Amino acid sequence: MNLPDYNEARTRDKRKYNRLTFKLDKNIEKKYVGKTYFLKTYGCQMNEHDSENISALLEALGFSRVDDYNDADLVLLNTCSIRENAHNKAFGMLGRLKHLKSEKKDLLIGLCGCMAQEASVVEEILKDYKFVNFVFGTHNLYQLPEILDEAVKSSKQQIEVFSREGDLVEGLPVIRSNDFKAYVNIIYGCDKFCTYCIVPYTRGRERSRKKEDILEEIKELVRDGYKEVTLLGQNVNAYGKDLYDNYNMGDLLEEIALMNIPRIRFMTSHPWDFTDKMIEVIGKYPNIMPSVHLPVQSGSNRILKLMGRRYTKESYLELFHKIKDTIPGVAISTDIIVGFPGENEEDFQETMSLVQECKYDNAFTFVFSQREGTPACKLKDNTTQEEKEERLQRLNEVVNTYFLENNKKLVGTTVKVLVEGTNEKKDMYFGYSETNKLINFTSDKTIYCGDIVDVEITDAKTWSLDGRVQ
Ligand code: 5AD
Ligand code: SF4
């Protein structure tokens, strides 16, 4: 048994980690043919992509997927720790599974992802959720086949969680959930340690994949007809820093832009590492989508300092305007936390004024959530939850008006859309524009999923646009 430990997870040193190539143990390949699995994913794109690897590992063992957990022989929860409600959702699901297991004794239940990296969660599972058969963390996902096999053989809970990121594993199998859009990891982990954030503990230090491995994966995606890649990392802008002296995110973006892939996206960017070279490259290549997610978190310098964000409102705005001025038609989205410990009305008004200046195309807004083990947990907090919720509401009202205002400017223009499918009534297609806006549209011509079509925008809503194919 290996239990998670935050002291170890916090450690950053010069120690080199290993780079391994995944190999499936032949003794368990296809051992579970006829068995079914249900996989539930919480959280971010990183988790979604991990789940694409998990599905492929399970299918290599012989499992086939079902959409209803009542029909499954194995239920696996790939969890998220970012805010308390993500936690609550996973524990709520475990409650339902407990009930199911009381009727179906052979049901296997597993938990993985970010929550598995938290000592308090694992303690709780050991104590109160004995029906969970196995737990593994984000650093040892590649060991799923062995851990699962051991759990089947043994009556004991299998808890295998590495706190220090061990290895960077290439060659994991993957079953992609979309035929035209693909996620490609470029860097794992985060070294920023923003004081509110649990990610540096659950995902470990920054580790870049070798550029050759990334380029090879994209080459294969192009060969398979993929139209869009999203380069993933907790902070993609730090790409290469741990690996190369003279090759960073700007260089990687440029090399990928020269490959034959129609659309390139990336997320997430910390404002601290956003270089001029990156801005120049994004502006220069039409296949790098003019869409930047640039989390600001707060508009108050006092709060930004307490958050450990390493920039001021002024330097953020300077970067924001440089991106807007250099990349034609760019859409910028953001993340904002309200109710950080010590945030007063004046600080909140600073955030409101920043939002009024930036007029974001999209914003993900959150009330601060205490994460055990993070420095912000220890800060004094006099604001009531009610007041925080009320600030969130005021903020949302303002950001929403800008989403609509920006969308309205597009009415009458023509945008390029990657066709993804039809809506439930099948009377409209949907897809995303280059600036990552959801477009619902009609077409008189025959079009197919994966096509990139010109759509004339006819109507604007807050979170989507309507149009018709030209
Ligand atoms: N409370 C609220 N929001 C958080 N985020 C990260 N940690 C917390 C927390 N403890 C938000 C940040 C981040 C996004 C992914 O989630 O805005 O950018
Ligand atoms: Fe949630 Fe962060 Fe883990 Fe993604 S990396 S699943 S957002 S805690």
Side-chain angles (χ1 to χ4, degrees):
M1 189 180 312
N2 248 315
L3 300 178
D5 173 351
Y6 267 9
N7 284 330
E8 270 210 69
R10 198 177 285 124
T11 307
R12 298 290 188 269
D13 59 25
K14 294 246 178 297
R15 179 185 52 91
K16 281 275 169 243
Y17 41 88
N18 299 314
R19 288 167 186 274
L20 303 180
T21 304
F22 174 78
K23 265 214 155 44
L24 182 65
D25 179 350
K26 289 281 168 223
N27 293 320
I28 41 181
E29 195 173 350
K30 298 288 172 203
K31 184 170 168 185
Y32 295 94
V33 170
K35 299 277 182 201
T36 55
Y37 75 98
F38 172 85
L39 174 61
K40 171 96 184 144
T41 309
Y42 302 86
C44 65
Q45 286 89 348
M46 194 72 69
N47 255 24
E48 279 175 35
H49 188 38
D50 283 351
S51 281
E52 295 182 330
N53 292 129
I54 291 170
S55 299
L57 287 171
L58 292 174
E59 295 193 21
L61 296 185
F63 283 92
S64 51
R65 188 168 191 143
V66 290
D67 294 330
D68 183 345
Y69 65 85
N70 290 296
D71 301 333
D73 299 306
L74 161 68
V75 176
L76 184 54
L77 308 183
N78 188 9
T79 62
C80 168
S81 319
I82 198 99
R83 282 171 293 275
E84 199 182 348
N85 64 351
H87 254 229
N88 294 346
K89 277 188 208 160
F91 274 116
M93 183 68 183
L94 281 180
R96 268 168 274 154
L97 292 174
K98 182 178 186 177
H99 182 71
L100 185 63
K101 187 133 178 177
S102 65
E103 295 164 2
K104 209 171 156 183
K105 297 277 181 259
D106 291 340
L107 179 67
L108 269 179
I109 298 175
L111 184 139
C112 63
C114 290
M115 275 169 67
Q117 297 292 145
E118 291 182 73
S120 59
V121 168
V122 173
E123 257 167 47
E124 210 170 329
I125 286 178
L126 279 166
K127 196 162 132 265
D128 298 330
Y129 294 83
K130 293 202 167 56
F131 59 92
V132 173
N133 300 82
F134 63 99
V135 177
F136 61 94
T138 58
H139 300 309
N140 58 330
L141 184 155
Y142 66 98
Q143 294 182 325
L144 163 62
E146 287 81 16
I147 295 169
L148 168 74
D149 195 48
E150 204 47 49
V152 173
K153 288 190 234 155
S154 149
S155 55
K156 273 207 206 112
Q157 270 188 330
Q158 301 295 312
I159 313 268
E160 286 298 328
V161 180
F162 299 171
S163 294
R164 281 282 272 282
E165 60 293 331
D167 307 313
L168 195 152
V169 184
E170 292 293 341
L172 276 173
V174 58
I175 296 179
R176 298 190 186 271
S177 54
N178 187 298
D179 291 338
F180 307 101
K181 305 201 313 187
Y183 292 129
V184 175
N185 278 326
I186 61 169
I187 180 168
Y188 301 96
C190 179
D191 288 349
K192 290 285 176 294
F193 286 99
C194 300
T195 58
Y196 52 81
C197 190
I198 201 154
V199 171
Y201 308 89
T202 60
R203 292 274 175 177
R205 73 190 264 197
E206 287 172 355
R207 288 151 289 149
S208 301
R209 286 179 72 197
K210 280 190 192 151
K211 61 177 173 162
E212 293 79 9
D213 292 328
I214 298 169
L215 297 175
E216 189 51 44
E217 184 175 345
I218 297 174
K219 211 188 279 173
E220 231 170 77
L221 290 168
V222 173
R223 226 180 287 143
D224 292 345
Y226 279 84
K227 298 291 170 65
E228 181 176 304
V229 293
T230 300
L231 311 177
L232 284 185
Q234 254 77 40
N235 174 22
V236 289
N237 301 16
Y239 177 76
K241 285 185 174 183
D242 57 316
L243 197 56
Y244 303 113
D245 288 332
N246 250 324
Y247 189 93
N248 53 40
M249 183 59 180
D251 302 304
L252 181 70
L253 269 177
E254 185 154 39
E255 232 177 307
I256 297 171
L258 293 168
M259 300 172 79
N260 201 11
I261 185 97
R263 288 182 159 203
I264 301 157
R265 300 188 188 278
F266 55 94
M267 71 184 316
T268 292
S269 291
H270 189 296
W272 171 257
D273 293 310
F274 217 113
T275 61
D276 287 351
K277 162 102 188 198
M278 277 179 68
I279 303 176
E280 181 206 316
V281 169
I282 300 164
K284 182 170 163 193
Y285 292 96
N287 57 344
I288 305 181
M289 296 297 96
S291 163
V292 175
H293 188 61
L294 198 67
V296 67
Q297 313 298 1
S298 169
S300 153
N301 283 337
R302 199 175 67 80
I303 297 297
L304 285 171
K305 197 155 189 201
L306 286 173
M307 287 177 162
R309 287 294 286 177
R310 309 174 190 215
Y311 54 80
T312 59
K313 178 184 193 179
E314 294 72 26
S315 62
Y316 178 91
L317 285 171
E318 195 184 317
L319 173 66
F320 178 94
H321 289 298
K322 205 191 285 177
I323 294 173
K324 276 268 174 195
D325 295 345
T326 319
I327 306 170
V330 71
I332 302 185
S333 54
T334 200
D335 292 340
I336 299 170
I337 299 175
V338 299
F340 185 82
E343 183 192 75
N344 55 33
E345 182 60 28
E346 213 175 291
D347 297 311
F348 177 65
Q349 285 308 327
E350 291 279 344
T351 301
M352 291 289 256
S353 91
L354 176 127
V355 164
Q356 278 150 2
E357 177 165 346
C358 294
K359 300 182 172 57
Y360 290 106
D361 283 274
N362 204 353
F364 300 89
T365 56
F366 312 102
V367 170
F368 169 75
S369 171
Q370 266 199 346
R371 305 321 294 137
E372 203 181 312
T374 61
C377 252
K378 300 194 192 95
L379 295 175
K380 205 160 157 251
D381 194 358
N382 293 325
T383 313
T384 63
Q385 192 65 16
E386 208 178 9
E387 238 175 296
K388 293 181 182 193
E389 301 283 350
E390 191 261 339
R391 276 182 206 161
L392 182 71
Q393 218 169 43
R394 280 191 278 157
L395 176 65
N396 283 345
E397 266 166 36
V398 176
V399 290
N400 291 352
T401 60
Y402 293 121
F403 304 163
L404 184 60
E405 192 178 302
N406 288 326
N407 283 350
K408 276 187 176 159
K409 287 186 199 145
L410 294 173
V411 175
T413 67
T414 298
V415 300
K416 290 205 177 302
V417 178
L418 172 59
V419 184
E420 289 205 21
T422 52
N423 65 10
E424 274 177 12
K425 282 193 282 169
K426 307 247 179 281
D427 61 347
M428 270 190 148
Y429 295 92
F430 73 90
Y432 287 83
S433 70
E434 297 199 324
T435 53
N436 212 17
K437 290 180 189 281
L438 173 63
I439 318 282
N440 295 302
F441 58 98
T442 55
S443 175
D444 296 333
K445 299 182 228 169
T446 310
I447 55 172
Y448 298 98
C449 290
D451 287 350
I452 293 176
V453 294
D454 285 325
V455 176
E456 188 193 339
I457 301 299
T458 52
D459 197 12
K461 302 181 173 140
T462 304
W463 286 284
S464 66
L465 293 135
D466 288 346
R468 62 175 158 258
V469 168
Q470 280 204 315

